[in-house]
Amino acid sequence: MSSADAARDVYVWRSLGHDAVPGDLPKGLDRLWHRAAGLWKRQFVSAKSLLTRSETILGLEQRFARKTDDALRTEAEQLRASLRRGRATAEDMNLAFALIREGSQRVFGFRHHAVQVAGALAMCRGCIAEMATGEGKTLTATLPAMVAGWRGRGCHVITVNDYLAARDSEEMGKLYRFFHLKVKAITQESTPDERRRAYAADITYLTNKEAAADYLRDRLALGENKGLTGFLLTDLLGVRGGDTQLVQRGLEFALIDEADSVLINEAVTPLIISSDSANKEQEDAFPIGCRLAERLREGRDYSINWKYKEIEFTSGGRMRLQQKCRRLGGVWIAARRREEIVHQALTARHFFKTGSEYIIDEGKVVIVDESTGRLMPDRSWRDGLHQAVEAKEKVEVTPAKETLARISFQRYFRLYAHLAGMTGTGSEAAGEFWHVYRLPVVPIPTHRPCLRIMHKPVVCSDQEEKWKAVMAEVIRIHAENRPILVGTRSIGASERLSAMLAAAGLEHQVLNAVHHRQEAEIVARAGQPGKITVATNMAGRGTDIKLRKEAEALGGLHVIATERHMSYRIDRQLYGRCSRQGDPGSAIAIVSMDDELPRRFSPLLTKTLRAVKNILPIPSGVEMYVFTRSERKAEKMAFKQRQGVLQSDTWLQEQLGFAGEDL
């Protein structure tokens, strides 16, 4: 071990986080220098060097193999004392990892393998470890999480949903408790007292939304006393009641699972704490706005930009709307307000479809997460859009929300003293990870060679042809008795394919937001021979398809992608469901030229190719270029949206800070 390696490790674990919280994002020449520093650090922390060190750690296995459980715990307490004093060396870190590996053997019956140790080392150095699906990221996280827990300042393991937070804390908690560490989970149902106890534990599993929401609620609880000192003084003097106690104890260490989903996908929308703002007149206005929107005509009264999903009134449309609202009075008198309400009604009508962006569950509009396909019952759209969708669906219109506090996920996670993460798909967003969070992405090789066979994509002219091709592929593979996973982008598409499979007499399972309660049971059977599973994006996050030996002998799981997503990262997540840990498997994409992606981002080129295809044969490579080009445009647009959220958050912080507020 070189002195440079030791110095780096000691700095990472001893630092109070000055280097991990970058403050304002660099601009101009500073940004160029910042980018160059990111490229250098990515080269400096290489997978090769991490694997070399992981072999050193694996070589310490015999040192602990013959020790009793009590002897292991005694060693752990000694390391814990060194970590708390900030005197741990690189050799101490190696011993800590070797000790945890032996604990894993005693608890689970297996140890972390070399690439898992390498991924953990990358996270210890403040990086994003890119590890392929199926490489055991959940177990990998126990190494840096336990060392952070030993330091005594708390460790937040961030997951993408409550189910995973509860599951991982329970399963991995056996290893933590073996070394007398306290581990808790926070879910949406957790009470303030439960949250306070969970944050006081050594390791806390929770979602990004719960962590950021608790931070905002704590800031609101501080009230006029913006500083912690002022809050504690007023609390000691008895000015405040016990119900206003803070739940978090600080933001020291965050270890983010599925980092691209949490830090990139979720960053498009800020987290907002709001309260109901009852206004009967406004609630009654949305159904009226819905009826008015139905009377307006596209092209004459308003225009639609499908790429950016924007609607703009024409001058004639504004005049016509004014005439229709002349006798209504109330909120309809003001031109700006009536146009806002009808604009949201038109947005809901054209861009928000049931089974895609939302579903109706027990008479309520429930948002569906585009990235994961999961339901988000605790979320609502802003600025009256949620009420406009409710009016369109003719369900009860809920009261509009009043914003009490907001924060972007970019700003929140940059508040942690130490930040790291792991994901199966991080390379595509490496530049953004570094620019916003100062997190280099380090690709970690797979434990076993990937045996996935990627078939040539099939491009169809329209939806009918595509679904016929999908059915033909399912029937062909099913005849071989291999398990099949068909990925769809929306709930509507999964239900459509389900109906086609049922009509063909093919037994299958559907895994989407509507059937999310049966998720674990469905996934457990998806790797069996002859099983057909239709799934939305949720199959790529936190679910584990275990291949049966009989299916392995037949060629493994076959994945069929029925549409390209707005980011290639999500496509890779779906393909990654097969050929895990050296298993055999194959994947194919069957797409259509009238899918949303090419229609929205390359409409002219798509129309041209469809017209030419009726006369001359078009090479599939040319057709796939349309999808690749559209995907890049979609990713660029999403990046601009995230930058807009961050800039808005920064502007609000500056302006409200000047006014004596910070939320």
Side-chain angles (χ1 to χ4, degrees):
M1 180 66 55
S2 68
S3 58
D5 285 338
R8 282 194 302 272
D9 281 334
V10 173
Y11 173 76
V12 166
W13 289 104
R14 189 181 294 171
S15 170
L16 293 178
H18 175 74
D19 188 61
V21 184
D24 294 335
L25 295 182
K27 301 176 182 178
L29 293 177
D30 288 341
R31 181 169 183 174
L32 293 176
W33 174 256
H34 182 68
R35 183 181 300 175
L39 292 172
W40 177 83
K41 187 168 184 179
R42 271 176 271 175
Q43 295 296 322
F44 189 65
V45 186
S46 66
K48 183 178 179 180
S49 63
L50 296 175
L51 285 169
T52 299
R53 184 172 172 190
S54 69
E55 292 297 334
T56 302
I57 294 171
L58 266 61
L60 297 171
E61 185 175 309
Q62 294 304 315
R63 174 168 176 171
F64 300 107
R66 296 182 181 180
K67 291 194 175 186
T68 64
D69 291 354
D70 288 338
L72 289 180
R73 295 186 183 105
T74 300
E75 292 258 9
E77 286 301 319
Q78 293 173 356
L79 285 169
R80 186 173 190 170
S82 296
L83 286 164
R84 288 199 171 193
R85 292 195 302 267
R87 296 179 180 177
T89 64
E91 285 71 18
D92 289 335
M93 293 293 298
N94 290 351
L95 289 174
F97 275 25
L99 190 62
I100 298 167
R101 289 185 71 245
E102 182 59 31
S104 177
Q105 176 64 34
R106 309 267 174 113
V107 174
F108 301 124
F110 51 82
R111 297 180 177 88
H112 305 73
H113 50 67
V115 298
Q116 290 175 323
V117 175
L121 288 170
M123 287 184 275
C124 287
R125 294 191 181 179
C127 299
I128 298 288
E130 183 181 66
M131 302 176 66
T133 303
E135 290 297 304
K137 291 189 287 292
T138 304
L139 182 64
T140 300
T142 59
L143 291 166
M146 189 171 294
V147 175
W150 278 336
R151 296 180 69 223
R153 299 177 184 174
C155 173
H156 298 170
V157 182
I158 308 295
T159 64
V160 292
N161 59 64
D162 286 347
Y163 165 74
L164 292 178
R167 184 201 72 181
D168 293 350
S169 68
E170 179 61 30
E171 292 183 359
M172 298 299 107
K174 300 171 185 176
L175 177 58
Y176 300 132
R177 286 187 284 270
F178 177 84
F179 288 107
H180 296 162
L181 286 174
K182 295 180 181 178
V183 57
K184 297 284 186 180
I186 293 175
T187 64
Q188 187 179 348
E189 290 76 25
S190 299
T191 65
D193 284 339
E194 290 171 338
R195 291 171 186 269
R196 195 172 296 111
R197 288 194 295 269
Y199 283 118
D202 299 300
I203 300 164
T204 310
Y205 281 81
L206 72 168
T207 66
N208 55 321
K209 299 180 184 68
E210 295 302 324
D214 284 335
Y215 170 80
L216 288 181
R217 283 190 282 263
D218 279 355
R219 297 301 299 171
L220 288 171
L222 286 172
E224 297 177 358
N225 299 290
K226 299 305 177 185
L228 180 61
T229 303
F231 176 82
L232 293 174
L233 285 173
T234 54
D235 195 50
L236 287 171
L237 292 172
V239 178
R240 296 179 176 273
D243 59 336
T244 59
Q245 292 180 4
L246 308 182
V247 297
Q248 289 185 343
R249 59 164 169 159
L251 305 179
E252 173 66 19
F253 186 99
L255 186 61
I256 305 175
D257 190 10
E258 304 297 356
D260 63 322
S261 178
V262 173
L263 299 179
I264 304 296
N265 298 343
E266 293 282 351
V268 174
T269 306
L271 187 128
I272 296 174
I273 297 291
S274 59
S275 62
D276 290 340
S277 179
N279 187 322
K280 183 63 176 174
E281 186 179 16
Q282 282 194 2
E283 292 171 31
D284 293 339
F286 288 105
I288 297 172
C290 183
R291 292 193 292 270
L292 288 170
E294 293 173 353
R295 299 175 188 174
L296 299 179
R297 188 187 305 169
E298 181 185 350
R300 184 192 68 179
D301 301 319
Y302 60 90
S303 60
I304 300 178
N305 185 325
W306 290 100
K307 179 179 179 180
Y308 294 100
K309 292 190 175 183
E310 294 177 347
I311 290 176
E312 185 175 352
F313 287 106
T314 63
S315 56
R318 288 190 173 90
M319 291 294 295
R320 198 165 285 104
L321 185 60
Q322 181 182 5
Q323 293 171 2
K324 293 179 183 295
C325 297
R326 189 168 294 167
R327 298 181 180 180
L328 295 178
V331 297
W332 301 101
I333 296 175
R336 182 175 179 180
R337 186 60 183 139
R338 66 169 172 260
E339 288 176 12
E340 285 178 351
I341 295 173
V342 176
H343 181 276
Q344 295 293 54
L346 289 169
T347 300
R349 180 182 179 187
H350 289 286
F351 301 137
F352 290 78
K353 307 296 182 185
T354 182
S356 179
E357 284 75 22
Y358 64 92
I359 65 167
I360 305 298
D361 185 25
E362 298 180 353
K364 296 181 180 180
V365 172
V366 180
I367 298 175
V368 177
D369 190 326
E370 181 183 0
S371 300
T372 64
R374 297 182 186 274
L375 297 179
M376 298 193 294
D378 58 324
R379 300 285 290 272
S380 61
W381 291 299
R382 294 183 295 158
D383 303 325
L385 179 57
H386 202 88
Q387 288 71 28
V389 173
E390 291 171 329
K392 184 190 77 168
E393 294 293 342
K394 295 180 173 56
V395 300
E396 181 184 357
V397 177
T398 57
K401 302 290 185 179
E402 178 185 3
T403 299
L404 300 178
R406 59 165 278 167
I407 191 170
S408 66
F409 288 113
Q410 295 101 315
R411 179 186 166 199
Y412 172 74
F413 282 108
R414 289 162 66 219
L415 294 173
Y416 278 90
H418 184 84
L419 187 64
M422 51 190 178
T423 179
T425 50
S427 295
E428 293 87 347
E432 186 170 352
F433 275 127
W434 175 255
H435 175 63
V436 177
Y437 304 101
R438 298 189 73 172
L439 292 172
V441 175
V442 181
I444 305 296
T446 56
H447 181 49
R448 296 187 179 94
C450 180
L451 303 179
R452 184 184 307 120
I453 300 173
M454 287 298 303
H455 293 287
K456 186 178 179 180
V458 176
V459 182
C460 303
S461 298
D462 53 39
Q463 294 294 313
E464 285 298 321
E465 183 183 341
K466 179 179 80 172
W467 291 114
K468 287 179 181 178
V470 171
M471 281 297 297
E473 182 72 4
V474 170
I475 292 170
R476 182 180 72 84
I477 299 297
H478 185 64
E480 301 174 5
N481 204 33
R482 291 176 58 189
I484 301 170
L485 173 65
V486 186
T488 63
R489 269 197 63 192
S490 67
I491 296 171
S494 66
E495 300 289 358
R496 175 178 180 175
L497 180 58
S498 176
M500 295 175 69
L501 291 168
L506 294 174
E507 184 180 347
H508 63 283
Q509 296 286 338
V510 179
L511 177 59
N512 59 30
V514 176
H515 304 284
H516 67 285
R517 294 176 180 85
Q518 298 84 25
E519 177 180 339
E521 183 182 352
I522 293 172
V523 170
R525 297 196 301 264
Q528 296 178 5
K531 287 293 180 182
I532 301 173
T533 306
V534 180
T536 53
N537 296 338
M538 67 193 308
R541 293 293 187 186
T543 57
D544 189 13
I545 299 177
K546 296 181 179 179
L547 198 63
R548 296 292 179 88
K549 290 183 179 180
E550 304 93 314
E552 182 178 342
L554 295 169
L557 180 68
H558 184 64
V559 173
I560 304 173
T562 61
E563 196 167 345
R564 291 282 288 267
H565 296 83
M566 295 299 174
S567 172
Y568 185 63
R569 287 183 292 106
I570 303 176
D571 294 333
R572 281 216 290 148
Q573 290 159 16
L574 178 60
Y575 300 144
R577 304 311 299 164
C578 68
S579 303
R580 300 153 58 103
Q581 287 284 348
D583 289 338
S586 56
I588 187 173
I590 302 177
V591 295
S592 169
M593 293 297 287
D594 62 355
D595 286 340
E596 181 187 357
L597 185 68
R599 277 192 297 105
R600 183 176 170 188
F601 292 95
S602 300
L604 182 60
L605 183 57
T606 300
K607 289 180 181 178
T608 303
L609 285 179
R610 291 181 68 182
V612 173
K613 192 174 183 178
N614 295 328
I615 305 171
L616 299 172
I618 303 294
S620 60
V622 175
E623 292 177 313
M624 287 309 298
Y625 167 74
V626 177
F627 289 86
T628 303
R629 179 174 182 266
S630 301
E631 215 161 39
R632 288 173 181 170
K633 285 187 174 183
E635 290 174 343
K636 187 176 181 179
M637 184 187 74
F639 174 73
K640 288 183 178 179
Q641 290 175 335
R642 292 190 292 271
Q643 291 292 94
V645 169
L646 184 56
Q647 290 169 3
S648 174
D649 208 40
T650 302
W651 182 86
L652 283 171
Q653 180 185 3
E654 293 173 350
Q655 300 303 314
L656 293 177
F658 179 78
E661 302 288 339
D662 64 350
L663 292 177

